[in-house]
Amino acid sequence: MRHVLEIFEKQTEELLHSVEIPANRSEELRQLMNWRKPEEGFDCYDLSPEQVETLQNWTGTNLDNRNHIVQLVCLE
């Protein structure tokens, strides 16, 4: 499974960019998202500010969720 963060402009909902979550964070991601079943990892999720902050640290990317919509998606 490959997860990415998709960052959208709030007003236009235009996709600005995507950021891949490191594969070595898969178990931590499962815990962060509170997934109980493996298939839950295939859904798309809106993220809380706390989740965004954690994912910023993991990816080294400023996601600026005040002006953007940040979603977690599974590509595989």
Side-chain angles (χ1 to χ4, degrees):
M1 228 183 286
R2 198 172 107 211
H3 288 96
V4 297
L5 300 169
E6 291 189 338
I7 297 87
F8 298 89
E9 207 287 321
K10 262 189 185 174
Q11 293 179 340
T12 65
E13 297 185 6
E14 175 186 349
L15 178 62
L16 300 174
H17 64 281
S18 298
V19 178
E20 190 161 348
I21 297 176
N24 65 343
R25 296 285 189 168
S26 60
E27 179 58 28
E28 292 168 289
L29 180 61
R30 186 186 65 75
Q31 292 174 10
L32 177 68
M33 299 304 296
N34 199 31
W35 293 333
R36 304 275 184 231
K37 300 175 188 168
E39 60 269 14
E40 291 178 303
F42 290 102
D43 293 334
C44 177
Y45 294 91
D46 291 330
L47 300 171
S48 71
E50 295 80 16
Q51 290 168 321
V52 170
E53 184 175 337
T54 298
L55 293 166
Q56 283 186 132
N57 292 332
W58 292 357
T59 61
T61 304
N62 180 1
L63 301 172
D64 185 20
N65 64 323
R66 293 168 301 179
N67 297 316
H68 300 131
I69 298 166
V70 182
Q71 294 183 331
L72 175 69
V73 298
C74 180
L75 298 181
E76 298 176 353

